[in-house]
Amino acid sequence: MQIASKPLSSKLYRRACDLLAFDICSGALPVATRLTETRVAERFGISRAPARQALVELERLGLLKKAEGRGYDVLPVTREIGVLQTSGINDGLELQPRSSWEVIYPEVEIEVVSRTSLASWRINEVLLARHYGVSRTVARDVVARLQERGIVHKDGSARWCAPALTEKHINELYELRWVLEPLALEKAVPHLPGGLLAAFRANIEMTMASSEVRSEQLDQLEQELHVDLLRRCGNQALLRAVSLPQALLVAHHFLYRRTSGLFESEPFLPEHLKIVTRLERRDVAGACEALVQHLKVSRHRAMLRIRAVAETIEPADLPYLERL
């Protein structure tokens, strides 16, 4: 099929729509491929709002149809569609496609993690590939990333499992964290660039002063203290060990969004501030002690969040996830 061109629109949703239409018309997105707001947003690095607009427009053009459940399915192309020719354009709004596994990974991650508050789950790579219309290799890359993030592991039968966030499992992960993270913190301190702690403090204080704290802000603060700071420790073996129990940070990304009203104010904020303040005073031992205290009380709060979510969510069945 010949694909015509049309003038560039500056709107992000139009750019995403044009590129997706091009992929559909050229066959790069096969018939029956499932597209969701999250998948489109992650592919092009845009928010869900323009991604949603792009999908609605593609449905209007007859390139997509609303799928059962969530998302849209790609339809056979039966007529000429005018889309944007993107080669050679550089106006600061270019949308950069990601590799196949990166496109679907964020959606798979949240689908798996959200369900671990209810039970343990087995992941089937073949059905995962079929559900998203990707190759088995892409599905394997997605599962490998889940393993790297500490979300899944292989059971005794060499099958991929995502363990439930039970009290026993949470206790084990937090015990690892309060042993490993203070050691990483101590080793990281000599390598911290000037201004880093001041920036962390400013972010914490700004969030504490905010009348409405968003889950994205909490995610950022967790990332800054428990990942960005600790990764400067310089010990790669230690960092790999630290990253395993930090699968909890992925879970918190989901839990913060669903439990925003659980506490009157987010209790970890003053705890983070105490750690950063002691580091600024060069009281490394005090900062490590404050970090341990923070993790020990966070364990209880994590269970409160998990129980609250478990009482409210009823996730839809997914073919690649089997409840255990």
Side-chain angles (χ1 to χ4, degrees):
M1 164 175 286
Q2 181 182 4
I3 302 175
S5 63
K6 69 178 182 180
L8 169 66
S9 169
S10 62
K11 294 183 179 179
L12 290 177
Y13 91 85
R14 171 52 61 186
R15 298 294 302 278
C17 179
D18 288 338
L19 289 171
L20 288 169
F22 186 91
D23 285 349
I24 293 170
C25 293
S26 66
L29 281 173
V31 173
T33 299
R34 178 67 55 85
L35 296 177
T36 64
E37 291 176 18
T38 301
R39 187 174 177 184
V40 171
E42 290 292 336
R43 175 181 176 183
F44 295 118
I46 60 180
S47 68
R48 291 169 65 97
R52 184 183 311 118
Q53 287 180 281
L55 291 170
V56 170
E57 177 65 11
L58 290 168
E59 181 186 27
R60 188 189 68 79
L61 291 172
L63 296 177
L64 299 178
K65 70 172 181 179
K66 199 77 172 68
E68 294 184 8
R70 293 194 307 165
Y72 296 77
D73 291 334
V74 173
L75 292 172
V77 179
T78 58
R79 61 188 179 90
E80 183 173 314
I81 304 293
V83 298
L84 173 69
Q85 297 287 356
T86 60
S87 60
I89 295 174
N90 184 8
D91 63 352
L93 285 175
E94 286 187 278
L95 305 176
Q96 300 297 327
R98 303 184 180 186
S99 60
S100 296
W101 77 266
E102 290 178 304
V103 171
I104 66 173
Y105 177 80
E107 185 171 311
V108 176
E109 181 185 84
I110 197 65
E111 295 288 12
V112 173
V113 169
S114 63
R115 286 164 172 76
T116 56
S117 60
L118 299 173
S120 297
W121 301 82
R122 181 170 294 131
I123 301 177
N124 186 308
E125 284 184 12
V126 174
L127 296 180
L128 174 63
R130 188 178 303 163
H131 180 71
Y132 284 101
V134 298
S135 69
R136 179 75 180 274
T137 300
V138 171
R140 189 175 297 118
D141 289 342
V142 169
V143 176
R145 176 59 173 161
L146 291 171
Q147 181 188 32
E148 182 183 322
R149 298 270 277 170
I151 298 168
V152 303
H153 65 262
K154 283 192 173 181
D155 62 14
S157 302
R159 292 176 293 189
W160 290 112
C161 290
L165 295 175
T166 62
E167 186 167 2
K168 179 177 183 296
H169 185 46
I170 292 294
N171 285 341
E172 291 173 347
L173 292 176
Y174 268 101
E175 285 175 5
L176 270 176
R177 290 185 68 185
W178 72 58
V179 169
L180 296 173
E181 289 192 27
L183 177 59
L185 176 61
E186 183 178 1
K187 290 181 175 295
V189 169
H191 308 291
L192 299 183
L196 182 70
L197 293 175
F200 285 179
R201 165 187 281 278
N203 289 341
I204 296 169
E205 291 177 339
M206 180 180 66
T207 305
M208 292 176 71
S210 176
S211 59
E212 183 178 351
V213 178
R214 304 189 314 274
S215 62
E216 293 83 0
Q217 292 174 286
L218 301 179
D219 286 339
Q220 179 187 346
L221 295 177
E222 291 275 62
Q223 173 79 19
E224 288 176 349
L225 177 64
H226 297 291
V227 179
D228 296 345
L229 195 157
L230 298 184
R231 72 181 177 187
R232 299 178 184 275
C233 77
N235 185 324
Q236 295 304 311
L238 176 57
L239 282 178
R240 286 193 294 272
V242 166
S243 68
L244 176 62
Q246 285 188 339
L248 288 165
L249 298 183
V250 181
H252 284 158
H253 173 72
F254 169 74
L255 295 171
Y256 287 145
R257 287 193 295 170
R258 297 300 296 260
T259 59
S260 58
L262 191 59
F263 304 103
E264 184 175 347
S265 61
E266 180 49 54
F268 84 66
L269 295 175
E271 295 162 11
H272 277 212
L273 186 60
K274 183 176 182 180
I275 296 166
V276 171
T277 299
R278 291 189 175 183
L279 288 174
E280 289 179 314
R281 295 173 180 170
R282 300 186 181 278
D283 179 8
V284 178
C288 291
E289 180 184 354
L291 176 58
V292 172
Q293 292 172 349
H294 161 60
L295 291 171
K296 287 185 174 181
V297 297
S298 293
R299 174 179 59 173
H300 173 65
R301 292 197 295 260
M303 284 308 307
L304 291 178
R305 293 186 192 276
I306 291 165
R307 288 169 184 151
V309 167
E311 293 174 356
T312 60
I313 65 170
E314 294 183 10
D317 291 338
L318 287 173
Y320 62 88
L321 290 176
E322 177 189 354
R323 185 168 181 158
L324 300 179

